[in-house]
Amino acid sequence: MLDNSSTSAELIADATDYIIVAVNSDGKVIYHNRKAEFVFVGITDGCDLFSYVSDNDGVILKHNINMAFYQQRYFDFYWHYKGRFYLTGAHSFDQGVWLFFKDISELRELTHRLGLSEYRNEKAEILNKSGYWQLNIGKRRFYFSDGMYRLLEITKKGEDYYGNMLRRRIYPEDVDFYKEKIKSILQHKIKKFSGCLRIIMPEGKIKNCRIEARQDYFNGMEIIAGVLQETESIYCRSTAQVMSLAQIAHDIKHHLQAITMLHNSKQLSYADLQASFNYHTAKIITLTDDIMATAQSSDNQHIIKYGEVDLQALLQQLCFEYQTSPQASGIKIICRLRKAIINTDAAILSRIVGNLLSNALKFAKSKIILGNTARQIWVIDDGIGISLQQQKHIFDAYYRADSSKDGNGLGLAIVNDLCQNLGIKISVKSYLSGYTIFKLHL
């Protein structure tokens, strides 16, 4: 039905987000896509398009259709229809005129709130895809962009000017951070802030987001303008240092506990005690250096040092280390190790497996099995098991399946993040009152 002109081809290629209607010179509809049926309710091929619009709305539309048809060129214009604004294009072809409608109501509102400069129009396009919001400080009224409704997975039913739907969705432990920063802006102590928030979705899922907010003015009124964006990592960039330090502190605590256990041990020879003490001391010194490097880091990213690693030797050392830890009292760690040389970061891989062993020691009844091939590492414990519901959240930061056990809910979250850094896939399989298997796919 289209002509073969390159202009038409380009228009159609760009029209995937558009409402499309084709009319002949009399205004009769000869084609429409499905999106048109939601705007022009009841539209059918052969009907009169202007029967769906009022006289006032129809004047502009009819004028531009006639201009496109008789001058045989493309026209674009803004068109208001039933409270919505459309960027509309009219392009002639041999049988009539193609009409392309793009709903820009939300973008128009957002552009108005940001200002009307070309730069801010471009910024509005970006923010409209994110979660943009405004708080009118004087009136205590909120504006939320369509992106906010999408981000929070809420079906939009009109503007939520009188309620702060963002505040209602923030994870309880993050509320104080949000309230403190907003209060500081209101009291003019700070002009802007950024950080991380965990957002609770309708079905209870936790979504990790980065928030940025600043003091601003709109139509002469003081406002707080903000953006909320989902982040893939469990650690927002602004809190990566904090989480890295928590990770290091987690490891230092383990080595200090091991040294305490060695001090009271009567089973090891003097030579073994000395070797173990030197090993744990050296680890603590290295971790202390890591703290300094993390504190001074400007990009907050893990520095990965790849090299050939003797996997069997690395795991053998971990077996000995955790078997002599105070956590392992009454629990046997069985090592089923095979010779394998892999290319990875030995320090990070050691942390990953160490955290899995530490986690297994919390739940095991009598034994833990650590094994490997050249492509896999597994840690098995004969504990209480993990339910399917709990398995959905065990890698979430601060989540604790059993609050009676010691810990802060960071161990497996750290494992997951480090695995992502090394490109390792981690999986879990568990049976209640049976056993749990964590596998690393190298």
Side-chain angles (χ1 to χ4, degrees):
M1 202 173 144
L2 272 176
D3 61 1
N4 293 321
S5 71
S6 60
T7 305
S8 294
E10 290 174 4
L11 285 170
I12 292 301
D14 293 335
T16 52
D17 293 328
Y18 283 70
I19 298 151
I20 305 175
V21 178
V23 297
N24 62 19
S25 58
D26 297 324
K28 301 292 184 182
V29 176
I30 54 180
Y31 171 82
H32 68 279
N33 66 354
R34 286 191 176 184
K35 290 183 179 179
E37 297 173 4
F38 294 97
V39 177
F40 305 103
V41 179
I43 190 173
T44 58
D45 290 351
C47 71
D48 184 354
L49 177 64
F50 299 109
S51 66
Y52 292 92
V53 299
S54 66
D55 291 339
N56 289 335
D57 294 337
V59 168
I60 297 175
L61 190 61
K62 185 176 291 187
H63 171 74
N64 282 279
I65 288 175
N66 288 334
M67 292 284 285
F69 184 75
Y70 291 108
Q71 295 189 26
Q72 293 291 300
R73 64 187 184 90
Y74 178 80
F75 288 88
D76 58 47
F77 55 96
Y78 293 101
W79 188 54
H80 180 265
Y81 179 64
K82 290 187 177 181
R84 307 294 292 179
F85 286 88
Y86 297 90
L87 175 60
T88 308
H91 175 65
S92 64
F93 69 109
D94 55 356
Q95 299 178 42
V97 174
W98 283 103
L99 296 171
F100 304 91
F101 303 90
K102 184 176 183 179
D103 190 337
I104 60 167
S105 305
E106 176 64 22
L107 187 60
R108 182 177 180 274
E109 168 74 5
L110 190 52
T111 303
H112 176 56
R113 288 176 178 273
L114 292 169
L116 300 177
S117 68
E118 182 178 352
Y119 165 73
R120 291 198 171 187
N121 280 333
E122 293 176 0
K123 191 172 183 180
E125 288 274 9
I126 298 171
L127 292 179
N128 192 45
K129 298 176 182 178
S130 305
Y132 180 79
W133 55 273
Q134 284 184 0
L135 166 61
N136 185 316
I137 295 174
K139 296 183 178 180
R140 290 291 194 273
R141 296 173 72 176
F142 281 89
Y143 160 80
F144 297 106
S145 70
D146 282 347
M148 278 291 289
Y149 286 90
R150 289 192 296 270
L151 183 65
L152 299 179
E153 299 179 8
I154 295 175
T155 302
K156 189 174 180 182
K157 297 180 180 179
E159 303 293 350
D160 187 0
Y161 279 101
Y162 299 97
N164 186 351
M165 65 180 183
L166 172 59
R167 164 66 182 81
R168 295 195 294 267
R169 289 298 191 87
I170 297 175
Y171 195 77
E173 293 180 10
D174 296 345
V175 169
D176 288 343
F177 166 79
Y178 170 80
K179 290 172 65 176
E180 177 191 350
K181 295 300 183 182
I182 294 295
K183 183 179 179 181
S184 295
I185 290 181
L186 292 174
Q187 294 177 346
H188 300 97
K189 293 180 179 179
I190 59 175
K191 290 187 177 181
K192 61 182 179 180
F193 75 91
S194 62
C196 291
L197 292 177
R198 286 167 290 174
I199 304 299
I200 304 173
M201 295 294 104
E203 297 181 357
K205 179 185 176 184
I206 303 297
K207 184 176 286 188
N208 298 284
C209 297
R210 177 175 175 80
I211 185 172
E212 297 181 8
R214 72 182 191 283
Q215 179 192 28
D216 208 339
Y217 291 90
F218 172 64
N219 285 349
M221 294 177 289
E222 188 178 5
I223 66 168
I224 296 177
V227 178
L228 191 72
Q229 290 180 298
E230 185 178 6
T231 177
E232 294 181 0
S233 174
I234 63 168
Y235 309 132
C236 292
R237 188 174 178 80
S238 61
T239 58
Q241 280 183 317
V242 175
M243 298 301 287
S244 293
L245 291 172
Q247 183 185 119
I248 295 169
H250 184 278
D251 293 341
I252 288 176
K253 180 181 177 181
H254 162 72
H255 291 292
L256 289 173
Q257 288 176 332
I259 289 174
T260 301
M261 184 67 180
L262 289 172
H263 179 72
N264 299 320
S265 176
K266 296 181 181 179
Q267 299 177 355
L268 298 176
S269 67
Y270 177 82
D272 288 337
L273 282 171
Q274 187 67 40
S276 295
F277 181 85
N278 291 340
Y279 171 81
H280 291 293
T281 303
K283 284 287 187 181
I284 291 173
I285 291 172
T286 300
L287 290 168
T288 304
D289 292 337
D290 288 349
I291 289 176
M292 297 299 294
T294 301
Q296 295 170 1
S297 174
S298 59
D299 59 5
N300 299 333
Q301 300 297 311
H302 296 286
I303 300 173
I304 301 175
K305 299 177 181 178
Y306 285 100
E308 285 193 353
V309 176
D310 185 334
L311 186 57
Q312 185 182 40
L314 183 147
L315 297 179
Q316 189 66 57
Q317 179 62 52
L318 287 170
C319 267
F320 174 77
E321 177 185 332
Y322 280 84
Q323 186 65 76
T324 58
S325 72
Q327 291 176 282
S329 179
I331 299 174
K332 185 176 182 180
I333 300 180
I334 303 170
C335 299
R336 296 176 178 171
L337 308 177
R338 298 181 183 180
K339 186 70 176 179
I341 303 297
I342 62 173
N343 187 47
T344 189
D345 185 309
I348 294 179
L349 182 61
S350 182
R351 282 187 181 178
I352 292 171
V353 179
N355 279 0
L356 289 178
L357 287 171
S358 181
N359 184 72
L361 285 170
K362 293 177 184 178
F363 300 97
K365 296 175 183 176
S366 61
K367 65 180 178 181
I368 294 171
I369 300 174
L370 173 63
N372 78 285
T373 64
R375 294 179 177 269
Q376 290 185 348
I377 301 171
W378 55 86
V379 176
I380 307 173
D381 69 74
D382 61 349
I384 58 175
I386 308 170
S387 69
L388 289 175
Q389 183 62 31
Q390 290 172 333
Q391 289 178 37
K392 297 177 182 179
H393 303 288
I394 57 174
F395 295 113
D396 294 343
Y398 305 105
Y399 178 78
R400 296 171 65 190
D402 186 349
S403 58
S404 67
K405 301 292 183 181
D406 292 335
N408 52 19
L410 285 175
L412 291 178
I414 289 170
V415 165
N416 189 45
D417 190 59
L418 293 177
C419 283
Q420 290 180 18
N421 289 332
L422 289 184
I424 294 173
K425 180 183 176 183
I426 184 169
S427 63
V428 59
K429 188 175 183 179
S430 187
Y431 300 89
L432 291 177
S433 300
Y435 57 89
T436 299
I437 307 173
F438 282 94
K439 275 190 179 181
L440 302 175
H441 304 269
L442 306 175

